[in-house]
Amino acid sequence: MAEALSCAEELARLHDAGLVHGDVQPHHFIIDDQRTHLIDLGLAHGGRIPEAYDFPFRGCLVMYESPEISRSVVEQGSAVPTRESDVFGLGASLFISVTGLRAVEFPPEAEREEQRRVIAKGHHREVTIPGPLGAIVEAMLSPVPAERPTAAEVCDALA
């Protein structure tokens, strides 16, 4: 549980700085003896981006995408990452880290667009993780962005 808390704390720090990561997944957290580091800010949003460096956000690693990001990418070809979509990504990361399963079930051989269509429906596997971690992961995977806790609230729940 300490590792989950350290990941939530790092995401909360990023959000407190006014940034959205846009690609939260287990591979982007490095945990060492001192602290956790959130890396790969290539899709991060926040503040003004010079036009020459700006590009449409076309989603992230699909199995960590929130339903609203997948829906937007399928329907419009791009999306706008949010703190809520980052929290979903953290919830999906914690889910797979504990269970070994993707939070949303889809056939592994499915094309990327089909995977996104499944995710966009907002259904996830049953959360069977015991204790406070399971309860907060369930909340983080809510299909309704406004119903997800903030990263700071995730920290409070895991502290």
Side-chain angles (χ1 to χ4, degrees), residues 1 127-142 149 157-158:
M1 189 120 102
V127 178
T128 57
I129 302 166
L133 182 59
I136 198 66
V137 166
E138 178 72 42
M140 295 166 78
L141 295 177
S142 172
L158 296 176

Side-chain angles (χ1 to χ4, degrees), residues 72-103:
S72 182
V73 171
V74 167
E75 293 173 359
Q76 301 169 24
S78 66
V80 176
T82 63
R83 288 178 176 89
E84 293 83 4
S85 63
D86 277 357
V87 167
F88 184 95
L90 179 58
S93 296
L94 295 173
F95 187 94
I96 199 168
S97 296
V98 173
T99 68
L101 301 169
R102 291 184 306 268

Side-chain angles (χ1 to χ4, degrees), residues 35-105:
R35 64 175 279 212
T36 296
H37 306 271
L38 183 54
I39 64 166
D40 195 354
L41 298 170
L43 297 176
H45 281 66
R48 189 167 160 2
I49 301 171
E51 191 172 321
Y53 298 104
D54 198 11
F55 56 89
F57 179 78
R58 292 191 170 90
C60 57
L61 189 56
V62 176
M63 62 190 196
Y64 303 104
E65 272 184 9
S66 65
E68 67 275 11
I69 293 291
S70 286
R71 190 175 312 107
S72 182
V73 171
V74 167
E75 293 173 359
Q76 301 169 24
S78 66
V80 176
T82 63
R83 288 178 176 89
E84 293 83 4
S85 63
D86 277 357
V87 167
F88 184 95
L90 179 58
S93 296
L94 295 173
F95 187 94
I96 199 168
S97 296
V98 173
T99 68
L101 301 169
R102 291 184 306 268
V104 178
E105 187 174 7

